[in-house]
Amino acid sequence: MSIEIFIARHGQTQWNKQYRLQGQHDSPLTSVGVEQSNYLGQQLKQLAPTSIYSSDLGRAVQTATIANQHLNLPLQTHISLRERHFGLLQGKSIKVNSKFYPTYQQRLSKPNKSVAGMETELHVRQRIQEFVQQLSQLNENRVAVICHGEWMRILCESLKQQTSTSDTSTLLTTVPDNGQVLHLSYQGGNIVHH
């Protein structure tokens, strides 16, 4: 069975605008974030998902609720879709010149070490696999998923590592833009990028 998965990052929040790292903390959508969520709903309507899942964090639920006004599907939240926990950096500025930026960047050079209390990349990958496994056991064929930037970046890194033959040049290498959609499918136990 093949499942088409449309994964999107939540709309812009107050903290995104201020370059403050949210992790599993929250801040509300900005007016731009509300517009992005509406546009996301229009995009998703064209893709015709049969169900919509969201992280249980407020910014993702707010985005999904707005986008779902175009879809009218039952909205289901899932804890595995939560953003990476950034430990002591949550709520801190991550502008390039901030004192916390070098520590934030260590998540890339030390993905499986807990830097400043951060959740490891390995743990986030396990949550991603858990969610996809649960999806595969349902009778779903086209699914919209609203989640978070670092979650999506880690998913793409995982795909690059497991894919040696297909073109991965269009996969994300950084945190995606707010409202950005990634199209994947789950086929025969593998996630494939489109």
Side-chain angles (χ1 to χ4, degrees), residues 48-61:
T50 55
S51 61
I52 183 168
Y53 291 84
S54 171
S55 156
D56 64 340
L57 296 176
R59 60 193 182 271
V61 172

Side-chain angles (χ1 to χ4, degrees), residues 107-122:
R107 79 195 196 291
L108 302 174
S109 61
K110 299 177 181 176
N112 293 315
K113 300 255 189 242
S114 181
V115 178
M118 281 186 213
E119 179 179 16
T120 65
E121 190 167 302
L122 178 62

Side-chain angles (χ1 to χ4, degrees), residues 10 25-29 54-64 148:
H10 61 79
H25 288 338
D26 240 330
S27 69
L29 297 183
S54 171
S55 156
D56 64 340
L57 296 176
R59 60 193 182 271
V61 172
Q62 189 179 2
T63 298
H148 305 274

Side-chain angles (χ1 to χ4, degrees), residues 65-111:
T65 300
I66 294 167
N68 197 28
Q69 292 172 359
H70 300 271
L71 304 169
N72 296 316
L73 297 169
L75 174 60
Q76 301 171 68
T77 60
H78 203 289
I79 195 168
S80 293
L81 297 171
R82 278 187 177 184
E83 180 59 294
R84 182 181 197 170
H85 193 290
F86 282 100
L88 300 174
L89 297 182
Q90 293 188 148
K92 306 290 191 245
S93 172
I94 53 167
K95 287 184 180 179
V96 173
N97 62 351
S98 78
K99 71 178 184 178
F100 299 105
Y101 185 75
T103 306
Y104 172 67
Q105 287 302 96
Q106 285 183 28
R107 79 195 196 291
L108 302 174
S109 61
K110 299 177 181 176

